[in-house]
Amino acid sequence: MFYKKRSRKGYTKHEAGKLLEDRNHFGCMMVECNDVDCMISGLTKRYSDAIRPALQIIGTEEGVKKVAGMYLIMTPKGPLFLADTTVNINPTAEELAEIVLLTVKEVTAFNITPRVAMLSYSNFGSSNTPEAQLVSKARELVKQKDPSIIVDGEMQANVALNNNLLKEMYPFSELVEKEVNTLIFPNLASGNITYNILKEIGSHDVIGPILLGLKKPVHLLQLGSTVNNIVNMALIAVTDAQIKSAAIEKEKKASGKKQ
């Protein structure tokens, strides 16, 4: 089956067989063949090497062009979700909008209403640089696809997390009187740096990265993950498997009724 998937991607049958000796390729094929419900990996591999088999074998959900990575930070104010922290280096406005939609879907699965701040070094047009305008455009695209999503930006992190400041300076924002619980970063550098600082300071529990957008549940650890992080990621993977399984069953029932 793996050879059939990759035969027109430059792989010979011998190469396909050798690749399946690698645990990440073999594990992803077990998920793809429904021999297991989910998989976590990546403890001893670079993230880019660990994610490649999942993309090649399992692929993305229908309608999803690129996957993204999200971290869950447990803070005194409650859970805080950060994305994209592991995958997309310099997303376009369209890709950033898709990251928001994937993150909103995942946060909702935690039975939490996402209140999303799209971060930048600019506040609501205070800078007309391409980087700031990209975030603003991405927010517009999100609202076009789903106007019900509570999302605003572009905005600085301190404004996003200080509602009194937001209310005083930008009272028009739809995040006024709403506690932000989801932060979307404009690029991989800012997101990755932020979560690593929070993790090393040690003042918060950090869970992740939670991989968003794959068709089936595969989640990857970071090098040097603790036992606690591995346990948390196993719980995330199991929950993801339950949610995806329930969605498939629902789709089958709906299809059966139509027939």
Side-chain angles (χ1 to χ4, degrees):
M1 186 184 288
F2 178 63
Y3 175 59
K4 285 180 181 178
K5 283 177 175 287
R6 305 304 297 174
S7 59
R8 291 188 179 273
K9 302 289 185 181
Y11 285 67
T12 66
K13 194 168 186 178
H14 175 74
E15 287 171 332
K18 291 297 289 182
L19 276 173
L20 279 189
E21 294 176 9
D22 169 67
R23 66 187 68 185
N24 285 294
H25 286 81
F26 193 85
C28 285
M29 281 302 300
M30 290 181 73
V31 175
E32 180 68 2
C33 295
N34 297 317
D35 293 323
V36 296
D37 296 308
C38 55
M39 166 183 153
I40 58 170
S41 185
L43 183 65
T44 59
K45 274 188 176 287
R46 289 186 303 175
Y47 195 85
S48 58
D49 292 333
I51 197 174
R52 193 174 299 113
L55 295 173
Q56 291 177 344
I57 293 169
I58 293 170
T60 59
E61 294 175 357
E62 189 175 346
V64 174
K65 294 179 182 178
K66 287 198 172 185
V67 298
M70 180 185 80
Y71 268 86
L72 166 57
I73 313 290
M74 301 306 295
T75 76
K77 291 184 177 181
L80 185 64
F81 300 89
L82 281 60
D84 175 17
T85 52
T86 55
V87 182
N88 298 284
I89 297 174
N90 286 304
T92 63
E94 290 74 16
E95 289 167 348
L96 196 57
E98 186 169 36
I99 289 167
V100 174
L101 295 171
L102 287 172
T103 306
V104 164
K105 181 181 177 183
E106 187 69 19
V107 174
T108 304
F110 282 89
N111 291 321
I112 294 172
T113 300
R115 296 182 291 276
V116 185
M118 300 186 68
L119 303 181
S120 179
Y121 51 77
S122 169
N123 285 311
F124 305 104
S126 64
S127 172
N128 61 358
T129 60
E131 293 85 358
Q133 290 177 347
L134 182 146
V135 177
S136 179
K137 182 183 176 184
R139 188 256 179 186
E140 290 177 10
L141 293 172
V142 171
K143 296 301 280 188
Q144 287 172 15
K145 291 183 179 181
D146 189 347
S148 68
I149 293 175
I150 304 168
V151 56
D152 218 339
E154 82 286 8
M155 60 200 305
Q156 294 177 355
N158 63 318
V159 175
L161 296 172
N162 187 333
N163 212 269
N164 290 330
L165 184 62
L166 179 66
K167 186 176 180 180
E168 179 186 342
M169 299 183 69
Y170 307 103
F172 55 83
S173 173
E174 67 176 283
L175 290 172
V176 169
E177 305 294 352
K178 296 178 178 70
E179 201 73 44
V180 168
N181 57 21
T182 306
L183 301 177
I184 303 296
F185 295 92
N187 52 48
L188 184 61
S190 56
N192 194 275
I193 289 167
T194 299
Y195 95 76
N196 271 306
I197 289 173
L198 291 172
K199 181 175 69 173
E200 289 306 315
I201 287 173
S203 57
H204 306 293
D205 288 329
V206 181
I207 301 169
I210 301 167
L211 201 53
L212 312 176
L214 278 181
K215 194 182 297 180
K216 293 186 177 182
V218 172
H219 293 282
L220 304 176
L221 302 163
Q222 289 283 6
L223 287 170
S225 292
T226 64
V227 170
N228 191 49
N229 191 243
I230 296 170
V231 171
N232 285 332
M233 286 308 300
L235 294 172
I236 292 290
V238 169
T239 303
D240 191 18
Q242 291 172 333
I243 291 169
K244 283 184 167 66
S245 177
I248 291 170
E249 288 301 317
K250 186 178 179 180
E251 195 173 301
K252 284 180 180 178
K253 287 180 181 178
S255 178
K257 287 179 180 178
K258 287 179 182 178
Q259 291 174 358

